Amino acid sequence: MNAQTVMTLAPAAVTVVVILFCAVRKVLKEAEALLLALVPVIHALGKVRTAWQQTRRPQDGGVGEVEGEEEPHALP
């Protein structure tokens, strides 16, 4: 490559890099906003799950577990 070709392609290459950077940055900001919006929902679901498990669990000193009922497993 000669100097003229490099001088012609350099501004185009810089433009492409800047456009890609801005696009990736925008996508990452949107993903961050989405995840931050989901944090309270996930927290609330955890509280609901805990409350549900406590209602399903027999009291200490009370009647034993019903046959065939298993302890809930953690979600993957």
Side-chain angles (χ1 to χ4, degrees):
M1 282 211 224
N2 60 24
Q4 181 64 32
T5 306
V6 171
M7 294 301 289
T8 304
L9 293 178
V14 168
T15 303
V16 168
V17 168
V18 168
I19 289 170
L20 286 174
F21 174 79
C22 290
V24 168
R25 186 173 178 211
K26 183 177 181 178
V27 168
L28 289 176
K29 281 189 172 192
E30 293 294 325
E32 178 187 24
L34 176 65
L35 290 173
L36 287 174
L38 287 175
V39 167
V41 174
I42 293 169
H43 182 69
L45 287 174
K47 285 185 174 183
V48 169
R49 181 175 181 258
T50 302
W52 180 77
Q53 285 177 341
Q54 289 175 352
T55 61
R56 306 261 308 161
R57 196 171 292 143
Q59 299 295 324
D60 291 334
V63 179
E65 287 188 23
V66 176
E67 284 189 37
E69 185 176 337
E70 295 181 6
E71 192 67 27
H73 297 289
L75 296 175

